[in-house]
Amino acid sequence: MSDADALEREFRSGRLLPPRPDVLNLVDLANAASSLVCARSRPLAGGAERLAGMIGPADHLVLVAADGLGTALVESLEPGGFMRRHLAASLRTTFPSTTAAALTSLATGEWPNRHAALGWYTYIPDVGSVATILRFVRSSDGASLSDLGLSVNRALPAPPIASAAGRPLLSLMPAEIADSAFSRYVGGGRPATGYDSLDEAAACIVAAVLSAPGPTLTHLYVPHVDTAGHSAGFSSGATLEAAAALERTLEGLADGLSGRARLVVTADHGGLDAAADRVHVLRASDPLARMLRSEPSGDSRVAYFHVGRGREPEFEDAFRERLGGRFFLLTAGQAERMRLLGPGPLSAEVRRRVGTFVAVSRGADVMVYERSPGGRGEPPAGHHSGLTPAEMLVPLILA
């Protein structure tokens, strides 16, 4: 049985979940929101139309993206709490189930096969190397992609919804990333407003909505749950407390808005912990890495390999012998036919970024690429970017 067939069997069993346009999903939510606030928006597909109806028209729309807040984590909170009371649906996120891909989909209403942000680490042919795309730097040395001559619009070719919004936008990000290249991109070219605490962000939103002379759109990005999930594990008490703290902030925000705004809360992905024996380190000196034209890209549970011309069979055999029991190895064509990065064909730019092979975790296993001995330190306790339900299902909370 080929790995593609084996992965399809996992999808049929429900042990793994593919991204699907025919179930409610994060791309649908982005397009639903766009239809409610943009002067021009595309015709809605069935799922997006349904979500637009669930949200309903609102003079003030507040969209909260809570990084790492998977449906499973919400369902572990108090049954009578704010999030559980207002949980309207569970959405399927994009693949990879990771911030770079999912937040770009939420910002653009496009699947990764169109917007080209393929993971925390994304290969950029224009600079011939892997970039940490959200930080907008070359991964190997931290050099700014802008200094290397790459524009944000070239690196992230899909236009953001915010650029067509028909109402004023207030975008709130943690202060340290408020003026980053990606934050400006999401905001349609405008910098975000930085905040130092969730209470400060909530107070800013309430003041802006209650004093606004006309309709508004607000974006709030919250990283706290994801930060705890990586550090302590997504099943840890620390991560549960981070989610509970966010819940208290959201309830206070809803109370402060006094029914004047529609509050929409979702997430980019969930998370799944990985024990030490599930972490596989690939070093620059590794025989597998020596067959590549560039370092691997992707994320913890998905890797894209650009294999040197003529070395494809050798790489495939070596990978399967070493990691075949832990990862599916697909050709780029198989990944495209399975629609892992979204419905329809890969764009020409995405095809260049994907490379030769796509490795996908069979469950909890992760792959860490280490450029030099000790270069990454201890791997995180919690990870995401895979296809497990814990990673692929995110909440839709409406209040």
Side-chain angles (χ1 to χ4, degrees):
M1 179 184 294
S2 72
D3 276 8
D5 290 337
L7 180 53
E8 290 281 13
R9 185 176 63 182
E10 293 296 282
F11 289 157
R12 290 192 296 270
S13 74
R15 286 188 290 268
L16 299 178
L17 298 179
R20 284 177 50 181
D22 59 336
V23 299
L24 294 179
N25 59 71
L26 204 65
V27 177
D28 282 341
L29 178 61
N31 286 304
S34 174
S35 74
L36 296 170
V37 301
C38 287
R40 302 180 306 278
S41 63
R42 69 191 71 181
L44 294 183
E49 186 174 22
R50 180 181 166 193
L51 290 173
M54 291 169 64
I55 297 169
D59 285 340
H60 305 285
L61 190 63
V62 178
L63 302 176
V64 180
D67 201 328
L69 185 74
T71 299
L73 186 54
V74 170
E75 291 177 341
S76 69
L77 296 170
E78 289 296 324
F82 178 84
M83 290 203 215
R84 294 280 294 274
R85 292 200 319 271
H86 293 281
L87 182 63
S90 186
L91 309 179
R92 202 167 294 193
T93 190
T94 61
F95 178 77
S97 53
T98 192
T99 304
L103 282 192
T104 307
S105 284
L106 195 57
T108 63
E110 298 283 4
W111 294 87
N113 67 340
R114 310 307 298 174
H115 67 54
L118 303 181
W120 181 254
Y121 300 103
T122 296
Y123 176 74
I124 307 291
D126 288 6
V127 296
S129 61
V130 173
T132 310
I133 195 69
L134 295 189
R135 294 177 177 167
F136 212 65
V137 298
R138 185 164 56 191
S139 302
S140 59
D141 59 5
S144 164
L145 296 183
S146 298
D147 291 344
L148 297 173
L150 188 70
S151 69
V152 173
N153 290 340
R154 177 62 184 165
L156 298 164
I161 290 168
S163 63
R167 54 179 73 181
L169 169 67
L170 170 64
S171 179
L172 289 155
M173 302 265 187
E176 61 270 21
I177 62 171
D179 197 28
S180 68
F182 187 78
S183 296
R184 282 181 172 269
Y185 164 74
V186 169
R190 297 174 292 258
T193 297
Y195 69 85
D196 294 315
S197 71
L198 285 179
D199 287 344
E200 177 190 346
C204 183
I205 293 170
V206 170
V209 168
L210 297 186
S211 64
T216 64
L217 171 63
T218 302
H219 290 167
L220 170 62
Y221 169 69
V222 179
H224 303 66
V225 173
D226 186 67
T227 300
H230 282 298
S231 177
F234 282 91
S235 61
S236 70
T239 303
L240 187 63
E241 175 50 37
L246 173 60
E247 179 169 58
R248 292 190 291 270
T249 296
L250 292 174
E251 186 158 26
L253 174 59
D255 289 344
L257 292 170
S258 304
R260 294 278 301 277
R262 185 61 154 158
L263 181 60
V264 180
V265 183
T266 191
D268 48 357
H269 57 76
L272 183 68
D273 300 344
D277 64 346
R278 298 282 191 152
V279 179
H280 309 278
V281 178
L282 184 64
R283 296 181 171 86
S285 60
D286 193 285
L288 284 173
R290 290 177 176 174
M291 300 182 210
L292 304 179
R293 293 182 280 114
S294 71
E295 64 191 48
S297 54
D299 219 306
S300 295
R301 292 192 172 105
V302 58
Y304 308 106
F305 297 110
H306 290 71
V307 179
R309 190 179 302 276
R311 305 198 73 176
E312 295 89 349
E314 180 186 5
F315 178 87
E316 187 172 3
D317 288 345
F319 185 93
R320 292 190 192 285
E321 180 178 354
R322 177 167 160 189
L323 293 167
R326 304 301 183 102
F327 292 83
F328 301 102
L329 187 67
L330 310 172
T331 65
Q334 287 173 324
E336 181 177 35
R337 287 190 293 274
M338 296 178 74
R339 302 181 175 182
L340 289 184
L341 297 173
L346 305 182
S347 73
E349 180 62 19
V350 169
R351 185 63 186 80
R352 295 169 70 207
R353 295 184 184 192
V354 166
T356 316
F357 292 106
V358 182
V360 180
S361 177
R362 293 176 180 264
D365 288 86
V366 302
M367 191 183 306
V368 176
Y369 180 67
E370 186 179 274
R371 295 176 183 85
S372 60
R376 284 182 182 255
E378 287 298 315
H383 302 262
H384 49 81
S385 72
L387 290 162
T388 64
E391 299 163 282
M392 289 293 295
L393 296 178
V394 297
L396 174 63
I397 296 162
L398 300 176

